[in-house]
Amino acid sequence: RVVLLMKYRPAPLCPDEKLPTCGVIVPAYNEGCQVLDTLRSIAKSDYPRERLKIVVIDDGSKDDTWFWIKQAVREMPNRITPIRLSRNQGKRRALHAGFGQCTSDIFVTIDSDSQVEPQTIRCLVAPFIQNPNVGAVAGNVRILNRNEGLIPRMLDVSFAFSFDFLRASQSVVNTVMCSPGALSAYRSDLVKEVLPQWVNQKFLGRPANIGEDRAMTNMILKLGYYVHFQSTAMVYTKAPTGYQALCKMFLRWARSNIRETLVMTRFVFTHFRKGPMLGARINLMLSLMTLTLGQFMKLVLLGLIVSMPEMFGMRMLFGGVLTGILPALFFISRYRNSDALWAFAYSIFCITGLSWIALYAAITPQKTGWLTRDLSPGKSQPLMFAPRPLENP
């Protein structure tokens, strides 16, 4: 991966006359006033106004999300198309409704708890112009609320490694395995081709309500197109600040990862595209090893810790420190600041507090609940009647 990373280069920016039309789809559920900041950041994009359409979908929110969407429409007239679903139908259905409102060359999806830089969308579409074989592009995700606690600070370092290192190396072999929901772009004709299959996807007889981003990525790859990563297309997304919310997020990701890794095995060993395919196969094999051998080794380690806690407990912590070396070195080489030390804390935190998630997901892969964004039973957030002042993303 280090060798691949050294070969990685983001696609260069293009002049206005070469930019495609873009439909930006923002699904929102119980997002509150954050959706206004998200839409403001998109509207400030350095992109020709006549080539950028913004569609926001309120997926049956129980709070005041619709109020803030209407506020955005008032602030930015003729820029935003609002859609309100009568009931919560899930992110896929919300995105499906947004796709139906756009006739653009490129579909861009942005989560409603995320904010983009002015040049983000211009950067995001550049790989499509540079290479006609690119069917999807993954943006570069960092943490918006990194100052709100220990967990966001640790996640910021983890995300930097996950995107600037892992996805960059996958991009060189044309196979980024997940274009993230926080920021992704797709050729619209490809989305329309797979849309019925995607929106009605099932797993173990149940509707696949989670992992819509990984599922779309797989379908684009299966069509024979490349999926690239654009490091200059930055998006800042809100991260959980509490342990319970973090576990729910990771559990959702782990379950969808199991499903889509199995889906990928059905086509990646066939002649699924023109050009090199070895990189895609190696990445899949590494994922399969993590899901099988990796989880078996966790059980072995757990048994050793129970039987010999003093010896193997300390070795586990030492192993956590070793695991954090590469992310820490990468972060400090890229960003030149002491936040790299959070990589060590996160590694130990993963081993002691998060390693159970993948094991639990492996025995409950059929569960497809979103697990987050619900309000307390019987309660609704009060409506807010004063718009927030304009803020920079």
Side-chain angles (χ1 to χ4, degrees):
R1 291 192 186 280
V2 171
V3 172
L4 291 174
L5 179 65
M6 293 172 65
K7 297 181 179 180
Y8 173 77
R9 297 291 184 277
L13 294 180
C14 300
D16 285 4
E17 57 270 18
K18 290 188 177 182
L19 292 175
T21 56
C22 281
V24 182
I25 297 96
V26 182
Y29 177 65
N30 288 351
E31 197 59 71
C33 58
Q34 173 59 45
V35 70
L36 176 59
D37 292 335
T38 299
L39 295 171
R40 283 170 173 171
S41 73
I42 297 170
K44 293 176 183 177
S45 294
D46 176 23
Y47 207 89
R49 184 167 177 169
E50 68 278 6
R51 301 189 186 189
L52 187 69
K53 180 175 183 178
I54 306 171
V55 179
V56 58
I57 307 96
D58 180 358
D59 184 23
S61 296
K62 301 174 184 177
D63 67 352
D64 57 353
T65 296
W66 184 244
F67 170 82
W68 294 106
I69 289 175
K70 291 190 294 182
Q71 174 64 25
V73 173
R74 288 191 292 269
E75 282 187 13
M76 297 161 275
N78 304 318
R79 299 293 312 277
I80 298 171
T81 300
I83 300 174
R84 190 181 195 183
L85 303 183
S86 59
R87 59 182 177 84
N88 177 239
Q89 300 180 40
K91 191 175 180 181
R92 289 198 196 211
R93 293 287 174 178
L95 286 169
H96 182 268
F99 291 147
Q101 291 292 318
C102 296
T103 57
S104 310
D105 300 318
I106 302 296
F107 289 154
V108 175
T109 61
I110 299 176
D111 280 348
S112 56
D113 60 356
S114 305
Q115 293 174 233
V116 296
E117 295 180 344
Q119 283 209 315
T120 291
I121 296 177
R122 182 183 285 266
C123 292
L124 191 66
V125 303
F128 296 111
I129 303 167
Q130 185 183 53
N131 189 339
N133 292 320
V134 173
V137 178
N140 195 351
V141 184
R142 297 297 298 275
I143 302 301
L144 178 65
N145 58 330
R146 62 178 303 277
N147 294 322
E148 292 183 7
L150 298 180
I151 288 177
R153 286 182 179 275
M154 291 190 291
L155 287 179
D156 193 49
V157 178
S158 173
F159 274 37
F161 183 73
S162 176
F163 285 88
D164 281 321
F165 184 80
L166 294 178
R167 279 176 173 80
S169 67
Q170 292 175 352
S171 186
V172 175
V173 295
N174 303 312
T175 315
V176 172
M177 296 182 70
C178 182
S179 51
L183 177 65
S184 291
Y186 310 94
R187 292 192 186 275
S188 60
D189 57 334
L190 302 183
V191 171
K192 292 173 183 177
E193 184 174 346
V194 303
L195 202 54
Q197 175 188 357
W198 175 77
V199 77
N200 295 305
Q201 184 186 23
K202 291 186 177 182
F203 180 65
L204 298 177
R206 299 185 179 186
N209 298 325
I210 58 176
E212 76 295 328
D213 47 4
R214 179 78 189 274
M216 181 66 76
T217 306
N218 259 347
M219 292 178 185
I220 299 296
L221 287 170
K222 188 178 180 180
L223 291 176
Y225 286 83
Y226 300 160
V227 180
H228 281 187
F229 166 67
Q230 184 72 341
S231 62
T232 54
M234 301 297 299
V235 62
Y236 302 89
T237 191
K238 279 194 171 182
T241 57
Y243 177 71
Q244 185 177 9
L246 180 69
C247 289
K248 288 181 178 181
M249 182 182 76
F250 280 158
L251 182 58
R252 188 175 73 245
W253 291 359
R255 285 171 174 159
S256 62
N257 180 55
I258 292 170
R259 183 192 72 223
E260 293 305 321
T261 298
L262 295 175
V263 168
M264 196 174 183
T265 60
R266 300 174 189 170
F267 68 86
V268 83
F269 295 109
T270 67
H271 193 73
F272 69 100
R273 72 180 179 205
K274 298 178 181 179
M277 294 173 281
L278 181 61
R281 291 166 180 168
I282 291 175
N283 276 304
L284 176 62
M285 291 302 296
L286 291 172
S287 293
L288 287 170
M289 287 179 64
T290 301
L291 291 176
T292 54
L293 180 61
Q295 303 315 307
F296 173 75
M297 293 304 295
K298 284 181 184 178
L299 293 174
V300 171
L301 177 61
L302 179 62
L304 292 171
I305 292 173
V306 171
S307 60
M308 292 173 281
E310 293 182 1
M311 178 185 297
F312 285 96
M314 291 303 298
R315 290 185 179 185
M316 181 189 69
L317 295 177
F318 181 64
V321 173
L322 289 178
T323 304
I325 289 177
L326 181 57
L329 289 176
F330 174 78
F331 191 89
I332 201 166
S333 67
R334 181 63 61 92
Y335 298 103
R336 307 289 181 183
N337 68 58
S338 60
D339 283 352
L341 296 175
W342 288 108
F344 297 106
Y346 185 68
S347 294
I348 296 174
F349 178 53
C350 280
I351 292 175
T352 58
L354 301 176
S355 57
W356 64 272
I357 292 175
L359 284 169
Y360 184 66
I363 61 176
T364 60
Q366 76 284 358
K367 294 187 176 182
T368 59
W370 191 256
L371 301 177
T372 56
R373 297 277 172 83
D374 286 330
L375 300 176
S376 300
K379 295 182 179 180
S380 296
Q381 283 189 7
L383 291 178
M384 306 293 292
F385 294 102
R388 294 176 65 175
L390 289 170
E391 299 174 357
N392 291 324

